[in-house]
Amino acid sequence: MRRGVFAGSAVAVLMLTAACGSGDNSAGKGDSVQPVGDSKQAGSGYDGYGGGSGAVPAADAIKNGPAGELKVKATTELGPTVTDNAGFTLYRFDKDTPKPPKSNCEGDCATAWPAVSADDASAGEGIDKSLLGSVERADGTKQLTLAGWPVYRYAKDTKAGDTLGEGVGGTWHVLAPDGKPAKAGGGAGSGSGADPSAGGGEAAGAGEAGGGEEKAQADPVGVNRDTKLGAILTDAEGRTIYRFDKDSAWPMKTNCLGACLNTWKPVKAVDKELVKGIPAELVGTFKRPDGTEQLTIDCWPMYTFAGDKEAGDINGQGKQGTWFAVSDKGKKVTATG
């Protein structure tokens, strides 16, 4: 019996090791940073939407219950935000559309981001009631909309006032009272910029324009064909992405701390669906010591180089014999620039 337990544990360890950087790992000596959720996925689990096996879901009564009277809560970091009657933060998803209202969060995504029911929802002080509406989901239920945008809670928000979903995947944002993404200095008004005549679920508002602008941006991670290095990863601005040999892929560790970060900037975690030209299963994230989430490729932390001044620069390649560009297969590129 004891042998069987040990054998099972050994198999589990081998499977985890094979999943991250197998055969391509330099053991770093920095503080160990454990992966968040499924380390293969940039959204920390739930197929890249930010739920993760480590998520602590809110109580079922909160996740699936009615919103009641929506409230406006002033915050230092995000300005005016919208909460349900229990004080739980409400969110919007940039991949949804406000006109016509449509939710693109189904399946595992809907587990991480429970849709807020339109039943019994009402506008409290500071929220224009004409901006409230509903949209029918694929399962036939009615989801609340604000300025046309479908409204969600976040499973990792376990108490009133939590805003852990802000910025997840670069596509999830706390709602402002006018349906726009909340941000410091934003107006708290009653749907300023939205068209009240659109009303209910058809209201487009300024949030639609904001969403359109975000979707028009370049993919946050893509592939550039460099004449010397071949196919290498770049960020949305065309800057080359690098990995550090003194980091470690498994267990995930970072040795770029302190002054190192003045030169090498961690690439923020993104939704794996927004990473183009590289197998999705290689895309992941982990939490740095300061609490920020960093993009990983094949479980290696990713960085940009401050010495790259223009798109396509590869000035960081081979620096100190430890920094290298990353190929479209997720491996370090050892060719010299």
Side-chain angles (χ1 to χ4, degrees):
M1 181 65 178
R2 187 172 299 175
R3 291 180 181 176
V5 172
F6 289 157
S9 300
V11 170
V13 171
L14 286 172
M15 290 177 66
L16 285 172
T17 304
C20 284
S22 56
D24 189 21
N25 186 10
S26 297
K29 297 181 181 179
D31 294 337
S32 176
V33 182
Q34 296 303 317
V36 179
D38 182 349
S39 61
K40 291 184 182 180
Q41 299 178 355
S44 305
Y46 287 131
D47 200 25
Y49 292 102
S53 58
V56 180
D60 287 344
I62 296 297
K63 289 196 298 181
N64 302 318
E69 184 180 73
L70 304 189
K71 299 178 179 179
V72 176
K73 178 182 178 181
T75 68
T76 303
E77 297 81 7
L78 297 170
T81 65
V82 180
T83 72
D84 64 15
N85 191 55
F88 277 78
T89 303
L90 302 181
Y91 298 86
R92 50 170 272 177
F93 185 31
D94 286 346
K95 292 185 179 181
D96 289 347
T97 59
K99 189 176 182 180
K102 184 179 185 300
S103 170
N104 286 309
C105 181
E106 302 287 349
D108 287 342
C109 173
T111 303
W113 301 90
V116 175
S117 171
D119 295 340
D120 299 323
S122 62
E125 184 178 354
I127 300 174
D128 188 340
K129 65 180 181 180
S130 70
L131 297 182
L132 298 189
S134 66
V135 61
E136 184 171 342
R137 294 180 58 80
D139 61 5
T141 59
K142 296 288 187 180
Q143 182 176 2
L144 177 67
T145 61
L146 178 62
W149 290 93
V151 179
Y152 306 84
R153 297 184 181 96
Y154 185 38
K156 283 188 177 180
D157 286 348
T158 58
K159 64 182 185 296
D162 280 352
T163 57
L164 301 178
E166 171 58 30
V168 169
T171 56
W172 289 93
H173 301 286
V174 174
L175 270 167
D178 56 5
K180 295 180 182 179
K183 58 183 179 180
S190 55
S192 173
D195 180 5
S197 65
E202 294 298 322
E208 177 184 10
E213 290 173 1
E214 289 166 355
K215 290 181 181 180
Q217 292 178 356
D219 295 318
V221 178
V223 175
N224 176 49
R225 301 279 173 182
D226 183 80
T227 55
K228 296 179 179 179
L229 303 183
I232 57 175
L233 299 188
T234 59
D235 70 3
E237 299 177 17
R239 293 175 299 191
T240 301
I241 291 176
Y242 301 89
R243 54 175 263 189
F244 186 29
D245 272 357
K246 292 186 178 180
D247 286 350
S248 172
W250 193 261
M252 287 188 186
K253 296 179 182 179
T254 175
N255 264 320
C256 187
L257 302 166
C260 173
L261 297 175
N262 295 328
T263 304
W264 302 93
K265 307 297 183 181
V267 178
K268 293 181 179 180
V270 299
D271 188 330
K272 69 175 182 178
E273 293 182 355
L274 301 181
V275 178
K276 305 300 182 183
I278 186 170
E281 63 268 19
L282 296 181
V283 181
T285 183
F286 83 105
K287 188 168 290 187
R288 293 185 57 81
D290 62 1
T292 59
E293 291 193 341
Q294 182 174 1
L295 175 70
T296 62
I297 299 296
D298 199 21
C299 299
W300 286 86
M302 296 289 107
Y303 307 80
T304 55
F305 179 49
D308 286 344
K309 302 301 182 183
E310 297 180 359
D313 281 353
I314 53 172
N315 299 322
Q317 177 65 8
K319 279 285 183 182
Q320 300 169 331
T322 55
W323 292 91
F324 299 93
V326 181
S327 76
D328 58 349
K329 306 300 182 184
K331 304 302 180 183
K332 72 177 181 182
V333 177
T334 56
T336 59

